[in-house]
Amino acid sequence: NDGSTDRTSEVISSFVDARIRCFYQANQERSVSRNTGLAHARGQFVAFLDADDFWHPSFLESQRRILITQPDVSLVACGTCIVDMLGRVVDCHQPGIRNNASQVATTRLLLQGNQMSCGAVLARIDAVRSVHGFNPTLRQGEDWDLWIRMSIRHKLAANELPLFYYRRQNDFMPTRIATRGGHAVTVRILDQVFAQIDLTSLEIDRS
């Protein structure tokens, strides 16, 4: 609970289930909140679900099956459906990454833009922790930054089924290629990534 001022605490406390644990902190935005969850998580896999977005009932089963049957894969992203405020599907798209692509090709594709929704991902928690989770200095594009860093060290896979539902707020429509925050956020993320990796291994000329 990242400092919410609504009935979040009350609603959570109404569930009597030892598997549900809630941690409270002053508002520090998404990256810090997700890292807090990562620090306390005890499972093998981790997924992220924000605000009033939702999953298809088979999301976890379908995503987990891929990770269980493909032990070399550390992250799987499913398709995303955009829904309006009434829950009606407006559009659907598959993740931009491809299962037959090499690890280098996946990283190069991600460097072009975010290829998957944050809520569409299920990942091995150890893999996320191995790259130190979300960058707490980023308030936008933090998921894109994480996928790039993970792709350098881990294999990513796609699940073409549209199992994640992103609720569109008013007329805002996200795209998997564009990153919210525009050019400045994109430059900042890529600068930080380029400072950490060997571009020659990706056959990229930074100029």
Side-chain angles (χ1 to χ4, degrees):
N1 185 342
D2 189 38
S4 63
T5 57
D6 54 17
R7 296 179 54 247
T8 297
S9 299
E10 178 184 343
V11 171
I12 292 175
S13 63
S14 68
F15 293 96
V16 182
D17 190 328
R19 297 172 299 177
I20 300 176
R21 297 180 299 147
C22 186
F23 302 93
Y24 300 87
Q25 64 183 31
N27 181 259
Q28 299 178 69
E29 297 295 336
R30 292 186 298 266
S31 291
V32 175
S33 297
R34 290 170 181 160
N35 286 341
T36 297
L38 286 168
H40 289 284
R42 298 181 295 197
Q44 183 179 357
F45 308 112
V46 63
F48 309 96
L49 190 63
D50 295 338
D52 51 358
D53 303 333
F54 58 98
W55 292 324
H56 186 277
S58 64
F59 171 87
L60 291 174
E61 177 185 2
S62 179
Q63 300 277 79
R64 178 180 178 275
R65 185 184 305 115
I66 292 174
L67 293 177
I68 291 296
T69 58
Q70 300 182 50
D72 60 326
V73 171
S74 293
L75 177 154
V76 58
C78 69
T80 296
C81 284
I82 310 298
V83 300
D84 62 19
M85 294 305 293
L86 298 178
R88 298 173 299 195
V89 175
V90 176
D91 186 29
C92 292
H93 61 72
Q94 296 178 355
I97 59 174
R98 293 292 176 259
N99 290 321
N100 59 355
S102 68
Q103 210 167 313
V104 168
T106 297
T107 300
R108 293 184 62 167
L109 180 63
L110 282 165
L111 288 171
Q112 299 175 36
N114 199 353
Q115 304 295 321
M116 49 210 179
S117 303
C118 189
V121 165
L122 182 70
R124 300 184 191 278
I125 196 165
D126 288 344
V128 179
R129 288 171 173 165
S130 75
V131 296
H132 309 295
F134 293 91
N135 183 339
T137 70
L138 294 175
R139 293 196 172 192
Q140 295 173 314
E142 70 287 341
D143 54 337
W144 178 35
D145 169 77
L146 177 59
W147 312 150
I148 295 173
R149 290 185 285 112
M150 287 191 66
S151 73
I152 296 169
R153 299 179 57 175
H154 302 279
K155 183 177 179 180
L156 280 53
N159 178 357
E160 296 182 351
L161 296 176
L163 303 175
F164 169 62
Y165 296 84
Y166 182 95
R167 200 180 299 274
R168 182 177 65 182
Q169 304 292 331
N170 300 320
D171 294 326
F172 174 70
M173 177 75 78
T175 67
R176 64 171 182 261
I177 300 300
T179 298
R180 284 178 290 176
H183 181 71
V185 172
T186 299
V187 170
R188 181 183 178 193
I189 290 174
L190 293 180
D191 275 347
Q192 291 185 12
V193 169
F194 288 158
Q196 301 174 46
I197 65 176
D198 177 11
L199 297 182
T200 59
S201 66
L202 300 176
E203 300 179 358
I204 292 176
D205 180 358
R206 186 175 180 178
S207 63

